[in-house]
Amino acid sequence: MSKVVDVVEILKKSEALLEGHFLLSSGKHSNRYVQCAKVLRYPQYAEAVLSTVVDQIKGLDIDLVVGPAMGGVIVSYELGRQLNKETVFTERKDGVMELRRGFEVKPGAKIIIAEDVVTTGKSTIETKEALEKLGGEVIGVACIANRTSHDIGMPIYSAIKLDIEVHDADECPLCKEGSIELVKPGSREFKEIGM
Ligand code: ZN
């Protein structure tokens, strides 16, 4: 039985994807804001959204799913559950991404990295390097949202390719247009707009 999953609808319903006019921590403004942890609050939504990624990778030869903490942990678990594969996570120790807690990579193990969102790919690439040092072979990254605009050196399998317009504050078209109030995600004002 094939099922149709409306990823955008689920992300909006769970408030993981917001549309409007947002002040980012960088000081820049954007028209969309994504917080994947919000969709992972609901296991049934996590299952549905990530089933669309599983459809893309289930034919691959995978031994291990590895999610860098924090963002990748739940994604990794859910992918591993659906694929029936071992799932572990890496974490930072003194700023360095490492596999800890007695987790192991068998020599030549085919690994999928799991992330909530891939933007610059920096942490994904760090994770890949850490796993390859241990003898694993990273075959790609699976994520909820792919925000990259460049090649990160491995295939990206995502539930959604997300384009978010980011502008410098003094060049923001939403400010110029003036009809949508600027809000800071997570702030009190933000909650008051009732999304
Ligand atoms: Zn603006």
Side-chain angles (χ1 to χ4, degrees):
M1 197 177 76
S2 71
K3 54 192 180 320
V4 176
V5 176
D6 189 335
V7 172
V8 171
E9 180 62 26
I10 291 174
L11 294 181
K12 284 185 179 173
K13 214 156 45 175
S14 61
E15 302 172 12
L17 177 61
L18 303 173
E19 293 186 332
H21 185 191
F22 303 102
L23 175 61
L24 307 177
S25 53
S26 62
K28 295 186 178 198
H29 295 189
S30 74
N31 66 334
R32 289 171 134 189
Y33 184 77
V34 66
Q35 176 48 270
C36 288
K38 287 277 185 83
V39 71
L40 299 172
R41 291 183 292 169
Y42 304 107
Q44 72 279 24
Y45 285 166
E47 178 179 14
V49 166
L50 289 170
S51 74
T52 67
V53 182
V54 167
D55 285 345
Q56 299 168 53
I57 62 175
K58 64 188 176 194
L60 303 178
D61 186 10
I62 298 167
D63 298 309
L64 185 65
V65 186
V66 181
M70 286 285 301
V73 175
I74 298 174
V75 174
S76 172
Y77 175 83
E78 179 57 25
L79 290 173
R81 194 187 66 81
Q82 292 190 34
L83 292 163
N84 195 24
K85 299 291 179 190
E86 181 182 357
T87 164
V88 298
F89 56 89
T90 55
E91 58 202 301
R92 286 190 192 280
K93 163 85 171 162
D94 301 327
V96 181
M97 194 65 88
E98 289 181 353
L99 195 64
R100 298 170 62 82
R101 300 172 196 258
F103 293 152
E104 287 173 356
V105 171
K106 294 194 177 71
K110 301 269 199 301
I111 301 170
I112 279 279
I113 295 173
E115 297 266 23
D116 52 359
V117 52
V118 179
T119 306
T120 63
K122 190 171 167 283
S123 81
T124 308
I125 291 165
E126 274 180 67
T127 304
K128 178 176 190 272
E129 288 169 355
L131 295 167
E132 289 184 343
K133 247 182 244 170
L134 298 171
E137 185 193 333
V138 172
I139 60 170
V141 55
C143 59
I144 294 174
N146 175 5
R147 290 189 55 194
T148 59
S149 51
H150 59 282
D151 183 7
I152 66 160
M154 70 190 98
I156 303 175
Y157 305 96
S158 67
I160 185 173
K161 176 87 176 80
L162 207 54
D163 293 315
I164 299 184
E165 289 174 26
V166 179
H167 304 280
D168 288 331
D170 54 1
E171 285 172 7
C172 174
L174 294 164
C175 283
K176 288 195 178 107
E177 202 260 327
S179 67
I180 310 170
E181 196 195 341
L182 179 67
V183 291
K184 192 175 175 182
S187 69
R188 192 167 58 86
E189 299 88 308
F190 183 71
K191 288 185 187 111
E192 280 171 2
I193 66 175
M195 296 186 71

